[in-house]
């Protein structure tokens, strides 16, 4: 019976989840953005009601109306002023923008009302209801449920029945579809942001009903977790699912509060459940046709030692000998922030994984190190090492969801994990040994007295040296083999796998390495205080802040975190403002505005350049010293064509169904070394699906793929690629932010494990192998090696894609419509090249083409597919004569041309 009581109480919290989630879904459908500022909107609603009811004695309808309209207006403004200018920016930039807006809203409310708890009268009728003899619940819970049921059902019906609803459904599928229905995408986005804001405002206004009339910023900042979790459950699509999911989460939360005797679990467990659901539903590789998004620009990781070394030495000297002692605390905060920022460069910049848990990982490092140092007397050096290892282990764990989820979903998951960590570990005195127990005394590092109070100068120096070392590591990683692998994964997971790059390995590597770096930052940050207060120092919001400021600084650049860290809370920026206010003491109130102003500056900077401040600064440099072709000398003239390992491919009775649809039915074929097998067939015949199955992108419903006598049907794509089964893509899927040369290198380089370690200290000189040189020569790419694919013509890009596939030294090469977009001459040239690949190198080629002549002229055998079935097979001459083929596929012109 008690369980029933708590379940019913959970309906109240669940209703708030639903309201928030419904708004999140609406905004997502209208503009493709997950609004991390949604909790801020709710906060605004709650405080508007509080203000109007308690300070101005307004009536309920007025207060409620003002909250809803106020939040709606803010939503609309955010769309028009921030999101609209960013609509073509990278998803990362857009997430950061909403996080920036979140900061601004929180700081605004903080300025006006302070952080303390306030009371508001409960907005709906309350008081106990007796259900039977044992169950007693507050009335307000039922009112809330009634309200959210009405909201969710109304939205569901409106989606089906109204023109705007239809347009939204259409635009969620395809931005242009809505335009075809006569709706401007901008209008749709503005309407949904306004409406979503209104719903969040309503959620905030109703929130006191679930907290017996108390509100505070701290309490309400947790709400977004429930909202996001619910929206994820609803797949950012269904309002009815949001209704059911939100209430269910509320109930689980209430029950956990009652029955689990562990601090924080109630807040965290529902989220962990969602993580599991998401990960189970996710895919190892993105599906075919996932849109390639624009990504923040990445630096080269190169620096002139003659420039960097003197600057670094001078900086260290200044820091140690010429800095007023009062500046050290702020400087230390900024440097530690910059170190954690470096971890973001590796993970988010290079590997493209959106993590909102970096500060939490740093906190783990501080936790492990702090406990070992304080409770077990470990020396600083060893404690630091242990902290870093601890952070790396947890980083490995946090990286696991990234193997199945990506993009913004991953941000939600990692934020939840970081949040859970804060609730369960940092806030629990059972684990931290009590709030004030991690006391650190007389710190020494390699014999140097680095006590942060007595010798702040030495401590600052220690932090700065660590930053420089780690910055060098990060830059080295960028220049080396591993850097190219990470960038390949970030740009295009499908293509990376096709070149033999293990997406799995590289993502985990990025998570572990970045967690280690964050660990160093976290330990140094924590140890800079005489007592490490984990709960206060490592709040989840700081993980957001560190990502936001690093992206503003430039997430693709090693210098990005330096610029970003200037804006860290309590960092150097505050120092500047503080000294100015010391000069005119009446300005004290101005200092209060600093966080708010910083927030606004952040959002503005982002709107102006999504690649960050450093990128902006680097622009004139790029113009003065454009990328030179100096690397091109590496191309050996007339490189030898050495035969590849001869392997034959056998496809046995492969059937592929998608639901009730059969894309391939009992297809079989054999390709011997040095043989070219052509596949003809109209659009939709199943040709690309055949390649997907052979290379591991689809698991066939039945049948077998055998390479060199080994059954590879269960192998993942990268493993097949390494074994010599390499494909090209109909849609090219080049690595757009690598140069052509780097594209080829990424594909030709060894996929060894050792590089993950040696790459930290030595970038190595990338060597163009004979195969790469030969491919460059054959496809005449020498003059574009230093260009990026986007700068080339479409035909040229197609050739790069083919060269990239050849660079991997395949035994069997599967080409998906390689001649599309080439002119007659180029396509004949390509035909001859394909013959040479087979004849000179011994590569077995599967050639899928629409250009019938190209296939018939250059293949040894030809197979014709129609509706997933093999309708003819034989030598080119036999195919030309086949009646079935003529009827089903070949045009009359060809028939006439055949003697
Ligand atoms: P082709 O390359 O010969 O033009 P495809 O192999 O791309 O044809 O597609 C064959 C058929 O299978 C098409 O009708 C396509 O819509 C369908 N198809 C391909 N992949 C999937 C998938 N992942 N889910 C559902 N249907 C698919
Ligand atoms: Mg195709």
């Amino acid at each position: 019976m008690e369980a029933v009581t708590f379940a019913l109480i959970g309906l109240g919290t669940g209703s708030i989840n639903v309201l928030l989630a419904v708004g999140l879904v609406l905004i997502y459908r209208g503009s493709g953005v997950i609004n991390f500022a949604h909790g801020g909107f709710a906060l605004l609603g709650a405080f508007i009601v509080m203000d109007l009811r308690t300070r101005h004695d307004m009536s309920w309808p007025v207060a409620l109306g003002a909250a809803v309209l106020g939040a709606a207006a803010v939503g609309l403004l955010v769309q028009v002023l921030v999101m609209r200018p960013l609509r073509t920016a990278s998803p990362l930039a857009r997430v950061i923008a909403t996080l920036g807006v979140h900061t601004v809203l929180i700081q605004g409310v903080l300025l006006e009302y302070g952080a303390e708890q306030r009371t508001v009268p409960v907005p709906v009728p309350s008081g106990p209801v007796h259900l039977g003899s044992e169950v007693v619940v507050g009335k307000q819970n039922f009112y809330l449920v009634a309200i959210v049921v009405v909201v969710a059902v109304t939205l569901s019906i409106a989606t089906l029945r109204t023109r705007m609803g239809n347009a939204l459904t259409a635009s969620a599928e395809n931005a242009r579809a809505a335009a075809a229905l006569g709706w401007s995408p901008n209008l749709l986005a503005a309407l949904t942001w306004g409406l979503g804001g209104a719903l969040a405002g309503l959620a905030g206004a109703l929130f006191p009903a679930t907290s017996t009339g108390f509100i505070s910023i701290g309490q309400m900042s947790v709400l977004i977790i429930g909202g996001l979790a619910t929206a994820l459950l609803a797949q950012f699509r269904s309002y009815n699912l949001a209704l059911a999911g939100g209430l269910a989460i509320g109930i689980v939360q209430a029950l956990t509060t009652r029955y689990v005797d562990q601090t924080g679990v109630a807040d965290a467990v529902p989220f962990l459940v969602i993580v599991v659901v998401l990960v189970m539903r996710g895919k190892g590789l993105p599906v075919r046709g996932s849109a390639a998004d624009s990504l923040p620009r990445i630096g080269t990781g190169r620096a002139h030692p003659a420039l960097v070394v003197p600057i670094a030495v001078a900086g260290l000297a200044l820091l140690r000998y010429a800095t007023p002692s009062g500046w050290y605390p702020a400087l230390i905060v900024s440097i530690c922030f910059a170190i954690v920022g470096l971890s973001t460069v590796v993970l988010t910049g290079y590997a493209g994984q959106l993590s909102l848990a970096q500060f939490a990982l740093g906190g783990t490092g501080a936790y492990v190190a702090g406990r070992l140092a304080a409770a077990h007397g470990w020396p600083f050096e060893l404690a630091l090492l242990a902290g870093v290892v601890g952070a790396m282990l947890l980083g490995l764990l946090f990286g696991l969801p990234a193997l199945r989820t990506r993009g913004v979903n991953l941000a939600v998951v990692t934020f939840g994990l970081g949040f859970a960590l804060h609730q369960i570990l940092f806030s629990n005195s059972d684990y931290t040994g009590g709030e004030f127990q991690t006391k650190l005394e007389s710190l020494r590092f390699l014999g140097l007295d680095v006590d942060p109070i007595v010798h702040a100068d030495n401590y600052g120096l220690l932090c700065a040296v660590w930053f420089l070392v780690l910055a060098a590591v990060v830059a080295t990683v960028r220049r080396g083999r591993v850097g190219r692998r990470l960038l390949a994964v970030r740009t295009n997971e499908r293509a990376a796998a096709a070149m033999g790059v293990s997406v799995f390995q590289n993502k985990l590597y990025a998570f572990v390495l970045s967690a280690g770096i964050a660990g160093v930052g976290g330990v140094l940050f924590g140890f800079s205080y005489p007592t490490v207060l984990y709960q206060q120092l490592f709040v989840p919001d700081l993980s957001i802040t560190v990502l936001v400021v690093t992206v503003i600084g430039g997430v693709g650049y090693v210098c990005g975190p330096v610029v970003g860290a200037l804006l860290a809370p309590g960092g150097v920026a505050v120092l500047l403002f503080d000294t100015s206010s010391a000069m005119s003491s009446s300005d004290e109130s101005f200092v209060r505005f600093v966080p708010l102003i910083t927030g606004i500056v952040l959002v503005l900077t982002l709107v102006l350049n999504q690649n960050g401040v450093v990128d902006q600064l680097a622009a004139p440099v790029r113009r003065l010293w454009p990328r030179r072709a100096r690397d091109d000398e590496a191309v050996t003239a007339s490189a030898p064509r050495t035969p590849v390992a001869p392997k034959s491919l056998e496809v046995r009775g492969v059937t592929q169904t998608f639901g009730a649809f059969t894309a391939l039915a009992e297809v079989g074929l054999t390709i011997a070394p040095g043989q070219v097998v052509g596949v003809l067939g109209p659009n939709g015949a199943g040709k690309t699906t055949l390649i997907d199955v052979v290379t591991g992108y689809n698991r066939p419903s039945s049948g077998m793929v055998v390479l060199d006598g080994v059954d590879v049907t269960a192998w993942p794509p990268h493993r097949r690629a390494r074994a010599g089964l390499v494909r090209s893509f109909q849609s090219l899927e080049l690595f757009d932010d690598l140069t052509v040369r780097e594209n080829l290198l990424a594909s030709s380089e060894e996929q060894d494990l050792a590089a993950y370690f040696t790459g930290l200290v030595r970038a190595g000189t990338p060597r163009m192998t004979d195969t790469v040189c030969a491919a460059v020569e054959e496809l005449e790419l020498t003059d574009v090696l230093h260009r990026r694919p986007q700068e080339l013509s479409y035909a040229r890009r197609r050739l790069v894609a083919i060269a990239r596939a050849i660079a991997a030294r395949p035994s069997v090469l599967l080409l998906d419509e390689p001649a599309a977009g080439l002119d007659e001459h180029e396509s004949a040239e390509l035909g001859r090249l394909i013959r040479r690949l087979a004849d000179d190198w011994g590569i077995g080629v599967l050639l899928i083409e629409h250009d019938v002549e190209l296939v018939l002229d250059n293949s040894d055998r030809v197979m014709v597919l129609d509706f997933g079935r093999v309708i003819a097979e034989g030598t080119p001459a036999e195919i030309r004569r086949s009646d079935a083929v003529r009827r089903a596929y070949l045009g009359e012109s060809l028939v006439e041309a055949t003697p």
Side-chain angles (χ1 to χ4, degrees):
M1 277 303 113
E2 196 184 37
V4 176
T5 311
F6 276 88
L8 290 174
I9 290 174
L11 288 179
T13 325
S15 301
I16 303 296
N17 289 341
V18 176
L19 271 184
L20 290 171
V22 164
L24 283 167
V25 172
L26 198 59
I27 290 175
Y28 182 76
R29 295 186 64 149
S31 63
V33 175
I34 294 187
N35 177 26
F36 280 89
H38 215 63
F41 291 179
L43 191 67
L44 201 67
F47 277 84
I48 290 177
V49 168
M50 188 277 292
D51 194 284
L52 293 182
R53 289 288 294 157
T54 58
R55 281 198 197 168
H56 301 282
D57 235 357
M58 297 274 185
S59 68
W60 266 116
V62 174
L64 215 57
V68 170
L69 288 180
V74 172
L76 197 62
L77 279 178
V78 169
Q79 204 282 323
V80 173
L81 297 181
V82 182
M83 301 319 292
R84 187 173 299 177
L86 283 176
R87 68 187 176 279
T88 56
S90 65
L92 171 67
R94 285 185 284 163
V95 170
I96 302 296
T98 66
L99 291 170
V101 168
H102 176 72
T103 314
V104 171
L105 287 173
I106 298 261
Q107 292 301 334
V109 171
L110 195 64
L111 267 183
E112 186 60 27
Y113 302 105
E116 63 270 22
Q117 206 170 45
R118 306 275 188 142
T119 48
V120 211
V122 174
V124 287
S126 55
V129 183
H130 295 264
L131 301 171
S133 54
E134 286 168 71
V135 180
V136 187
V137 206
K139 224 187 271 178
Q140 67 275 23
N141 293 308
F142 299 108
Y143 279 93
L144 290 182
V145 172
I147 292 171
V148 300
V149 167
V150 171
V151 169
V153 171
T154 310
L155 276 171
S156 288
I157 294 175
T159 303
L160 292 176
R161 296 283 163 79
T162 65
R163 288 184 46 229
M164 182 182 157
N166 291 335
L168 270 180
T169 310
S171 81
E173 301 288 328
N174 175 346
R176 255 165 293 165
L181 290 176
W183 286 83
S184 116
N186 281 338
L187 180 64
L188 269 186
L191 285 173
T192 48
W193 272 88
L195 208 53
L199 288 167
L202 179 64
L206 295 177
F207 173 73
T210 66
S211 64
T212 53
F214 290 103
I215 58 171
S216 74
I217 293 182
Q219 236 175 336
M220 294 193 67
S221 62
V222 182
L223 289 182
I224 185 68
I225 301 277
L228 282 174
T230 308
L232 277 176
L233 263 189
Q235 305 178 1
F236 280 95
R237 205 163 46 80
S238 156
Y239 303 108
N240 291 330
L241 271 183
L243 179 62
L247 292 178
I249 291 179
I251 291 170
V252 175
Q253 274 173 308
L255 291 175
T256 331
T257 312
R258 171 63 191 82
Y259 294 107
V260 180
D261 224 10
Q262 168 83 289
T263 331
V265 172
D267 286 330
V269 159
F271 201 93
L272 297 179
V273 173
I274 303 307
V275 171
V276 172
V277 172
L278 244 186
V279 170
M280 280 183 359
R281 218 165 38 200
K283 285 236 163 35
L285 282 176
V287 289
R288 198 202 291 185
S290 311
D293 295 308
S294 64
L295 298 162
R297 200 175 289 146
I298 301 291
T300 58
R302 287 205 200 101
H304 246 289
L307 196 67
V308 176
V309 173
I311 292 180
V313 171
L316 289 179
L318 271 179
L319 181 71
R320 174 62 182 78
Y321 297 108
T323 303
S325 61
W327 289 16
Y328 283 112
L331 275 168
I332 290 171
V333 167
S334 274
I335 298 172
C336 293
F337 235 76
I339 295 178
V340 182
L342 279 177
S343 82
T344 309
V345 170
V346 172
L347 187 57
T348 308
Y350 297 171
Q353 306 302 305
L354 207 47
S355 159
L356 285 176
Q358 291 314 99
F359 226 82
L361 289 171
T364 313
Y367 170 76
V368 173
R371 295 311 298 149
L372 289 175
H376 302 278
W378 283 38
F380 194 1
E381 301 86 346
L382 277 184
L384 175 72
L385 187 67
V388 170
V389 171
M392 286 169 112
L393 288 177
L394 200 70
L396 186 70
L397 199 67
F398 278 28
L400 290 178
L403 304 177
R404 312 270 301 173
T405 57
R406 39 188 63 76
V408 189
N409 278 355
L410 181 62
V412 178
V413 172
T414 48
F415 184 61
L417 289 173
F419 177 78
L421 192 67
H422 183 263
Q423 299 295 314
I424 296 174
L425 184 60
F426 300 159
S427 307
N428 191 333
S429 54
D430 292 348
Y431 299 137
T432 58
E435 199 176 0
F436 295 101
Q437 288 314 299
T438 306
K439 277 206 194 58
L440 303 166
E441 275 143 18
S442 55
L443 282 183
R444 303 187 73 79
F445 199 92
L446 300 181
L448 187 70
D449 184 351
V450 291
D451 188 293
I453 306 301
V454 187
H455 267 293
D457 46 0
N458 285 345
Y459 198 86
L461 189 71
L462 178 71
C463 295
V465 169
W466 267 110
F467 173 80
L468 290 175
V469 168
L470 294 173
V473 167
V474 172
T476 310
V477 166
R478 162 65 185 97
R479 295 196 310 273
R481 207 144 72 222
V482 176
R484 283 184 287 277
R485 287 180 203 163
L486 293 178
L487 284 177
V489 168
R490 154 187 127 126
T491 322
N492 193 323
E493 293 182 21
R494 285 168 61 80
M499 303 299 121
V501 175
S502 164
V503 172
F504 179 90
Q505 245 174 38
N506 281 282
K507 280 187 179 176
L508 281 187
Y509 176 76
F511 263 95
V512 172
L513 174 60
S514 82
I517 297 173
V520 175
V523 173
L524 292 174
F525 183 61
F527 279 43
S528 72
Y529 298 88
T531 303
V532 191
L533 305 173
Y534 308 107
Q535 191 182 3
Q536 281 91 320
L537 287 181
F538 297 99
V539 292
D541 268 359
L542 276 181
S543 290
I544 295 183
T545 312
V546 83
L547 180 65
V548 172
V549 299
T550 308
V551 169
I552 307 276
V555 76
Y557 297 84
V558 174
C559 300
V562 180
V563 176
L566 299 178
L567 302 162
V572 177
V574 181
L575 197 75
L576 298 178
F577 285 112
D578 264 343
T579 45
S580 70
S581 73
M583 282 180 250
S584 54
S585 55
S586 65
D587 262 2
E588 216 245 301
S589 58
F590 179 71
V591 175
R592 292 173 46 228
F593 287 94
V594 170
L596 179 63
I597 294 168
T598 329
I600 294 173
V601 171
L602 291 184
V603 176
L604 280 181
T605 320
L606 195 65
V607 171
L608 292 177
N609 183 354
Q610 55 145 324
N611 291 318
V613 174
V614 170
D615 182 73
Q616 191 75 41
L617 297 177
V621 181
R622 266 200 300 273
R623 233 170 291 128
L624 279 178
W625 290 287
R627 258 176 291 136
R628 267 167 307 151
R630 83 188 135 81
D631 299 325
D632 303 351
E633 297 140 28
V635 182
T636 347
S638 63
R641 273 70 167 157
T642 38
V644 299
K647 292 185 181 177
S648 54
L649 172 74
E650 220 185 309
V651 178
R652 291 185 200 150
V654 160
T655 298
Q656 174 82 65
T657 54
F658 298 112
F661 176 76
T662 305
L664 288 177
E666 292 285 332
V667 174
L669 66 88
T670 309
I671 305 177
Q675 195 181 32
V676 179
V677 175
V679 176
L680 290 170
N683 270 332
K687 304 182 298 296
T688 301
T689 305
L690 178 63
I691 290 195
D692 281 344
V693 169
V694 170
T695 49
Y697 288 80
N698 281 348
R699 189 62 57 90
S701 320
S702 67
M704 239 173 135
V705 180
V706 179
L707 181 68
D708 200 24
V710 183
D711 178 3
V712 300
T713 321
W715 289 16
H718 71 268
R719 192 167 165 208
R720 298 189 203 199
R722 290 181 196 178
L725 204 50
V726 175
R727 69 177 293 180
S728 76
F729 292 89
Q730 197 171 348
S731 46
L732 302 192
E733 319 248 337
L734 291 170
F735 304 126
D736 282 327
D737 33 32
L738 299 181
T739 61
V740 170
R741 183 168 178 275
E742 287 174 312
N743 264 278
L744 300 178
L745 284 173
S747 154
S748 68
E749 274 168 344
E750 208 188 328
Q751 299 298 329
D752 56 335
L753 287 173
Y756 290 122
F757 302 96
T758 56
L760 297 174
V761 287
R762 204 160 39 84
T765 341
R767 219 178 52 80
M768 309 253 291
T769 58
D770 285 346
T771 314
V772 174
C773 294
V776 168
E777 245 177 87
E778 292 276 13
L779 293 154
E780 295 168 14
L781 295 171
T782 319
D783 58 322
V784 295
L785 280 176
H786 62 288
R787 308 273 286 278
R788 289 181 198 222
Q790 295 116 310
E791 304 166 17
L792 309 180
S793 70
Y794 183 68
R796 229 47 201 301
R797 291 212 298 274
R798 292 214 80 92
L799 300 182
V800 174
I802 297 168
R804 187 181 63 177
I806 299 174
R809 272 189 86 71
S811 294
V812 181
L813 177 62
L814 304 101
L815 296 171
D816 200 348
E817 305 201 8
L822 301 189
D823 65 27
E824 218 171 305
H825 168 75
E826 289 166 326
S827 134
E829 188 56 47
L830 178 68
R832 283 191 287 277
L833 168 71
I834 290 172
R835 253 336 320 168
R836 283 201 297 278
L837 289 178
D839 299 342
D840 300 352
W841 311 44
I843 299 177
V845 180
L846 181 76
L847 172 62
I848 290 185
E849 238 322 307
H850 268 299
D851 184 338
V852 180
E853 282 307 326
L854 178 73
V855 173
L856 294 181
D857 285 350
N858 296 292
S859 303
D860 299 309
R861 291 193 70 77
V862 178
M863 184 171 102
V864 184
L865 275 181
D866 197 21
F867 293 111
R869 287 173 199 285
V870 181
I871 58 166
E873 212 197 336
T875 62
E878 287 164 358
I879 295 297
R880 281 184 209 271
R881 285 196 297 271
S882 157
D883 279 343
V885 179
R886 231 181 303 199
R887 266 198 310 279
Y889 182 57
L890 298 182
E892 279 307 307
S893 58
L894 186 85
V895 179
E896 283 156 23
T898 315

